[in-house]
Amino acid sequence: MPRFLAVVATSASLVLLTPFAGTAPATPATPSDRQQVYDAAAAEFGVPAEVLLGVSYLESQWNTYAGTPSVAAGYGPMHLTDFATANTGQRPEFEDSDGRGDDSRPMLHPAPVPTDVPAAALQTAQQAAQLAGVSAEAVRSDPRQNIRAGAALLASYQKQRSGNAGDWYAAVAKYSGATDSGSAADFADEVFQTIRQGETRTTDDGQQVTLRADAAVAPDTGQLAELHLTPTRSNGAECPRGVSCELDPAAYAQYGPGPDDYGNHDTSNRPASQKIDYIVIHDTEATWDTTLKLIQDPKYVSWNYTIRSQDGHIAQHVLAKDVAWHAANWYINSRSIGVEHEGFLAESGWYTEAMYRASAKLVRWLAAKYQIPLNRQHILGHDNVPAITPTLIPKQHTDPGPYWDWDHYMALLGAPRPLPLPAPPFGMLTIHPDMATNNVPFTGCVKSGVACPDRGASEVVLHSQPSDSSPLLTDIGLHPSGTPQTMDVNDVGSRVSEGQQYAIADRQGGWVAIWYLGQKGWFHAKDAVFAAGVVVAPKPGRASVPIYGRAYPEASAYPAGATPQDIVPMTYVLSAGQRYVFGGVAPSQYLATVWDPTGTVNTKPVNGKTRYYEIQYGHRVEFVNADDVLLLPAF
């Protein structure tokens, strides 16, 4: 390895960051009356203010989300739920594609989506409204009334009034809506941990709220027994301690006479057979109940874990040693773990803090166990996974979408935080918008062409020139006819996401351009920070080099009798003069699979001599043959 690689790039996560010169300073938080609203509601209904603030933080981070419901049909800072008014139509993530992503086998044809009936526990807005003496509509739309109603509901769960915060453990646990003891305890424990540590932040509508730390608070955890909840099943689930987690095995069965007529995952022996390199973040596009029904269909696909929105409860469906069919790319599937989150990206549903925290605990534990770097080259959204062939690019999925808070999530994971990098400017950057104020005018959240609700996003739109009025870039893979990209929430061909890294192509005033899909993509420099690392460029004399959606071995690597898999170049190329950020070495492997009800078949992958590098090429990662390119320091 060249010396500069040893210094800069054991992985692309080793970055040093600083704001671009000329970036406007952060707007200081302004005093607000939201703090007084919490204090007044706490006093009115006899709830300790720190308990009310802690519960609200775990539900919403004190945000209002402009009155739009969460993925669990919750409204406002107190996440009071009303499934009857929330627009959460079912469109399961894989109903129109093959999550297996293996073109050596026929595409799956899932059964129709099962009918879902929301749980009664999700209906709290009406009850809270009655307790507070206001209308349910006010609870959904008015932050003050939402906080009052939440305080009233929390107080109704408390058997005996007490000014001691620790005496409210059972009431807090009940507020979670969980029906099992583990999930309720996890929620309550996180609330009291937040109280002990304290929090302060500016909300999405510009209100500064503070929960002062009180390390002396000692919750009476023994109160949990008073709720008479169902014990949480663990059943051998692979989860860290301190989370509510159960094993709910995915279907593994034959449904036809053919050798490939089985589903919905493959048995294997990871990591002994091959390393797990990625964790892929999804949203379900369906409710929890529907999702658990779908995982039992052998004609459907699978994923390793699902996380419930209302309380962060985790269900594991496929053991880590086996391969779930979740990313629509067999190479990524065979080297990854898929984590689904109850949610609806296109309907602008927001994700609860309880779900973020449970997910971060799980993913942090998995990353440590399997030595997966905590960076956006290895912690991927499904929207960052490449298609396997050019014709399938338009079918590749776009979840978890622009409203997933990647900055907050990576911080919860304990990913490396930015450090200052001195001038002069370096040759790469990290996307880093302020999600609270980054109100991107997406369309199509509810109806095609109609503006989405005004709220913060973790993605930044790219333009063809340093001007907001200039056209977006064109993704020839996503739009083969050459039509320009749109602002539709699912149209990812001219967008970058928090934490992704790109090579700098140009700068002009307050604008910066990156190399993106073979073009210069311009955006406001304030939405990024400088980074140091390694980039990939074509070798001298090469006008362009091919790009691949998977890193498959050369034909000579396959044993006798095995069918070599095609190495299919994508529509895109890496052209001379362009640079793309190096995401790590990608081993050339192909995992052949068979129906194995005994779990005893040795499923070793085919390992090739060809070397590939992962690169950040567009919104999605791609792969290049290492023999075609050079690795260069991004200086």
Side-chain angles (χ1 to χ4, degrees), residues 247-301:
L247 186 63
D248 180 27
Y252 185 62
Q254 284 188 300
Y255 55 80
D260 293 324
D261 294 340
Y262 71 90
N264 53 15
H265 59 279
D266 280 293
T267 60
S268 189
N269 190 32
R270 305 184 308 175
S273 60
Q274 60 185 142
K275 189 178 184 303
I276 300 172
D277 277 328
Y278 303 99
I279 296 174
V280 182
I281 304 299
H282 303 256
D283 77 43
T284 60
E285 295 299 312
T287 63
W288 173 264
D289 293 341
T290 291
T291 301
L292 295 193
K293 292 175 184 176
L294 290 168
I295 199 68
Q296 298 305 322
D297 181 0
K299 290 186 178 181
Y300 200 62
V301 294

Side-chain angles (χ1 to χ4, degrees), residues 12-20 407 416-422 426 428-432 498-501 528-533:
S13 66
L14 294 180
V15 296
L16 300 174
L17 312 174
T18 191
F20 276 105
D407 184 44
R417 305 305 297 159
L419 297 171
L421 183 71
F426 279 58
M428 59 183 279
L429 53 76
T430 301
I431 305 301
H432 188 56
E498 165 70 45
Q500 291 181 317
Q501 295 185 309
V529 292
F530 289 124

Side-chain angles (χ1 to χ4, degrees), residues 211-227:
L211 169 57
R212 292 183 176 84
D214 187 350
V217 170
D220 182 3
T221 57
Q223 294 179 353
L224 190 67
E226 301 171 5
L227 301 180

Side-chain angles (χ1 to χ4, degrees), residues 38 41 47 51-64 74-81 124 128 139 143-154 175 187 350:
Y38 278 105
V47 181
V51 172
L52 183 61
L53 285 162
V55 168
S56 182
Y57 187 86
L58 252 290
E59 295 286 13
S60 67
Q61 287 189 286
W62 305 322
N63 289 327
T64 67
Y75 289 85
M78 297 303 297
H79 196 252
L80 294 168
T81 51
T124 61
V139 166
R144 178 176 177 271
Q145 298 303 339
N146 184 274
I147 293 168
R148 288 187 64 252
L153 184 65
L154 185 59
Y175 194 97
F187 180 87
W350 46 277

Side-chain angles (χ1 to χ4, degrees), residues 327-489:
N329 183 314
W330 183 244
Y331 179 80
I332 298 293
N333 279 344
S334 66
R335 305 185 61 80
S336 70
I337 290 172
V339 183
E340 290 274 2
H341 300 78
E342 183 186 10
F344 301 85
L345 86 87
E347 291 172 3
S348 195
W350 46 277
Y351 302 92
T352 65
E353 179 68 4
M355 183 162 69
Y356 276 127
R357 290 195 178 198
S359 178
K361 287 179 181 178
L362 172 65
V363 170
R364 184 170 62 242
W365 179 79
L366 291 169
K369 184 175 183 178
Y370 298 109
Q371 298 181 312
I372 301 170
L374 291 174
N375 58 38
R376 290 300 315 281
Q377 290 90 350
H378 295 86
I379 309 298
L380 301 174
H382 194 175
D383 55 341
N384 308 135
V385 175
I388 58 175
T389 61
T391 58
L392 292 176
I393 293 173
K395 288 182 173 289
Q396 194 65 336
H397 288 209
T398 59
D399 57 297
Y403 304 120
W404 179 266
D405 192 341
W406 278 109
D407 184 44
H408 179 55
Y409 187 65
M410 296 303 286
L412 289 173
L413 287 178
R417 305 305 297 159
L419 297 171
L421 183 71
F426 279 58
M428 59 183 279
L429 53 76
T430 301
I431 305 301
H432 188 56
D434 177 6
M435 185 166 177
T437 59
N438 186 43
N439 296 315
V440 182
F442 292 122
T443 64
C445 288
V446 177
K447 185 177 179 181
S448 179
V450 176
C452 294
D454 185 18
R455 49 170 303 204
S458 63
E459 295 182 346
V460 175
V461 174
L462 301 178
H463 293 269
S464 55
Q465 299 293 330
S467 165
D468 288 319
S469 61
S470 67
L472 304 180
L473 302 185
T474 298
D475 184 339
I476 60 172
L478 193 58
H479 297 278
S481 63
T483 57
Q485 303 306 123
T486 69
M487 290 301 296
D488 187 272
V489 71

Side-chain angles (χ1 to χ4, degrees), residues 236-238 247 265 270 304-305 316-324:
E238 299 169 323
L247 186 63
H265 59 279
R270 305 184 308 175
N304 298 85
Y305 297 89
Q316 183 180 19
H317 311 295
V318 178
L319 297 178
K321 75 178 187 66
D322 298 328
V323 180

